[in-house]
């Protein structure tokens, strides 16, 4: 009995010391990571008035900056600040994001922000649009992948104008929608495919996406390939590649693919808060394996799942 009591005391002291050290799990949904000059910048959904930014030089220890990267009033939107993505073009940084269930693009001279619009406006196409991801092709052309709300959440693409101010609506093309069993385990009348991320390996385009409602424990990630940024897209037969079956956590999905300083590939995403509670969703990462070619087979490396944490 004394031995058991001692174990409890020691466990409590260890946990207390851990808490005092400031190691807390980051709680951002729809996360994305931008890397430049030996620094990783993490953004995501979690602030009702915009987007904060965390930084790390090793992907192990993260710091939340005092000032937000984008604050309501400095750019388009009043509420529903969701799913940001940051990229660099020439000497400026851009953030594509959702607000008021529309998509906007703000700019800054630093990845820390502040990201602003001199004229507050969304992408001009009508209808509700969320989850932007801007992909720059090897020929320098930019494409906006995003979700449109109609007969479910469906992923579309359109060319961006050269000044990144808006899309060329004549190029708007549907990419994929949820139609396979794993993509709609609840048999919902509103099937969901969302959270697009696109990369190019060799001559092929890889579109990563999440399926099912984010509140569903079966929220998961798959990918599709194409020889053109417009498609047609062929879904990988081994989908989903990321789900609660290989993370052990409900609601695993909606993230971003990125490469580290040494060229390793990772996927950052969110999970439910616990086995019984959805929010606040927690931010996690897994390492990816890329094998073969035309197309490459992409999979999650077993044992690499971990949550991102703040602190020393």
């Amino acid at each position: 009995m004394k031995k058991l009591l001692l174990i409890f005391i020691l466990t409590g002291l260890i946990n207390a010391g851990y808490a005092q050290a400031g190691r807390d799990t980051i709680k951002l949904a729809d996360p994305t990571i931008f890397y430049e000059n030996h620094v990783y910048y993490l953004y995501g959904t979690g602030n009702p008035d915009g987007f904060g930014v965390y930084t790390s030089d090793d992907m192990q220890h993260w710091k939340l900056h005092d000032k937000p990267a984008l604050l309501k009033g400095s750019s388009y939107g009043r509420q529903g600040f969701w799913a940001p993505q940051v990229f660099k073009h020439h000497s400026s940084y851009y953030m594509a994001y959702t607000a008021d269930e529309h998509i906007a693009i703000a700019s800054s001279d630093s990845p820390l922000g502040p990201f602003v619009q001199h004229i507050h406006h969304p992408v001009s196409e009508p209808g509700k649009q969320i989850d932007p991801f801007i992909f720059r092709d090897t020929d320098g052309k930019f494409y906006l992948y995003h979700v449109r709300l109609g007969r479910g959440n469906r992923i579309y693409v359109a060319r961006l104008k050269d000044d990144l101010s808006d899309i060329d609506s004549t190029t708007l093309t549907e990419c994929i929608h949820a139609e396979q069993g794993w993509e709609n385990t609840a048999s919902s009348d509103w099937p969901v495919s969302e959270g697009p991320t696109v990369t190019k390996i060799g001559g092929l385009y890889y579109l990563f996406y999440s399926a099912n409602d984010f509140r569903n424990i079966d929220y998961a990630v798959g990918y599709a390939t194409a020889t053109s940024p417009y498609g047609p897209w062929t879904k990988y037969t081994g989908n989903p590649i990321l789900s609660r079956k290989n993370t052990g956590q409900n609601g695993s999905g909606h993230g971003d693919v990125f490469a580290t300083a040494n060229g390793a590939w990772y996927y950052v995403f969110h999970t439910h808060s616990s086995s019984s509670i959805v929010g606040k969703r927690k931010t996690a990462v897994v390492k990816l394996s890329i094998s073969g070619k035309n197309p490459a087979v992409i999979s999650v490396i077993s044992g690499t799942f971990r949550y991102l944490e703040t602190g020393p």
Side-chain angles (χ1 to χ4, degrees), residues 94-153:
Y94 294 84
M95 176 183 283
Y97 66 97
T98 304
D100 302 334
E101 293 189 307
H102 286 76
I103 290 169
I105 303 172
S107 62
S108 173
D109 59 5
S110 166
L112 293 175
F115 288 87
V116 301
Q117 285 183 322
H118 298 297
I119 301 175
H120 297 187
H121 66 92
V123 169
S124 61
E125 281 293 296
K128 294 181 178 181
Q129 307 152 44
I130 62 173
D131 295 357
F133 182 86
I134 294 177
F135 167 73
R136 183 180 182 179
D137 206 347
T138 48
D139 62 3
K141 296 177 181 177
F142 286 89
Y143 297 84
L144 173 63
Y145 291 85
H146 59 288
V147 172
R148 289 177 173 252
L149 308 185
R151 296 176 293 126
N153 288 17

Side-chain angles (χ1 to χ4, degrees), residues 272-285:
H272 288 178
S273 180
S274 71
S275 59
S276 59
I277 300 174
V278 174
K280 297 181 176 179
R281 287 167 284 175
K282 298 189 292 188
T283 310
V285 70

Side-chain angles (χ1 to χ4, degrees), residues 6 11 32 35 48 65 69-70 87-88 115 131 135-136 153 160 166 169 209 211 227 233 236 242-243 246 277 291:
L6 180 60
T11 301
T32 183
Y35 173 77
H65 286 255
L70 184 146
F87 64 98
K88 187 177 183 180
F115 288 87
D131 295 357
F135 167 73
R136 183 180 182 179
N153 288 17
L160 274 175
D166 210 337
S169 59
Y209 65 98
T227 57
W233 297 92
Y236 173 51
L242 177 77
S243 71
N246 59 0
I277 300 174
S291 60

Side-chain angles (χ1 to χ4, degrees), residues 4-204:
L4 184 59
L5 180 60
L6 180 60
I7 291 173
F8 284 144
I9 292 172
L10 289 174
T11 301
L13 289 173
I14 290 170
N15 288 339
Y18 188 80
Q20 288 172 3
R23 301 290 289 171
D24 295 314
T25 299
I26 295 173
K27 294 182 178 179
L28 290 177
D30 319 325
T32 183
I33 287 179
F34 171 76
Y35 173 77
E36 184 182 56
N37 295 332
H38 309 291
V39 179
Y40 299 90
Y41 299 85
L42 169 67
Y43 316 82
T45 302
N47 185 336
D49 295 322
F51 302 103
V53 54
Y54 293 80
T55 58
S56 173
D57 59 7
D58 60 3
M59 272 206 347
Q60 298 287 336
H61 307 88
W62 293 88
K63 173 188 175 183
L64 175 63
H65 286 255
D66 294 335
K67 295 182 179 180
L70 184 146
L71 185 63
K72 179 172 67 175
S74 298
S75 188
Y76 172 81
R78 297 166 297 173
Q79 60 186 354
F81 289 88
W82 305 335
Q85 180 226 357
V86 170
F87 64 98
K88 187 177 183 180
H89 180 47
H90 297 316
S91 59
S92 295
Y93 301 86
Y94 294 84
M95 176 183 283
Y97 66 97
T98 304
D100 302 334
E101 293 189 307
H102 286 76
I103 290 169
I105 303 172
S107 62
S108 173
D109 59 5
S110 166
L112 293 175
F115 288 87
V116 301
Q117 285 183 322
H118 298 297
I119 301 175
H120 297 187
H121 66 92
V123 169
S124 61
E125 281 293 296
K128 294 181 178 181
Q129 307 152 44
I130 62 173
D131 295 357
F133 182 86
I134 294 177
F135 167 73
R136 183 180 182 179
D137 206 347
T138 48
D139 62 3
K141 296 177 181 177
F142 286 89
Y143 297 84
L144 173 63
Y145 291 85
H146 59 288
V147 172
R148 289 177 173 252
L149 308 185
R151 296 176 293 126
N153 288 17
R154 293 170 174 248
I155 297 176
Y156 282 76
V157 64
R159 268 281 314 278
L160 274 175
K161 295 179 179 179
D162 291 339
D163 62 1
L164 308 181
S165 64
D166 210 337
I167 65 169
D168 177 353
S169 59
T170 65
T171 66
L172 184 65
T173 305
E174 183 175 344
C175 296
I176 59 173
H177 61 277
E179 55 187 340
Q180 297 181 348
W182 74 271
E183 297 171 331
N184 189 7
T185 63
S187 300
S188 172
D189 293 334
W190 188 273
V192 172
S193 56
E194 62 184 20
T197 293
V198 175
T199 191
K200 192 175 185 180
I201 303 174
L204 285 180

Side-chain angles (χ1 to χ4, degrees), residues 246-259:
N246 59 0
T247 67
Q249 303 296 324
N250 291 343
S252 295
H254 196 143
D256 188 13
V257 174
F258 67 99

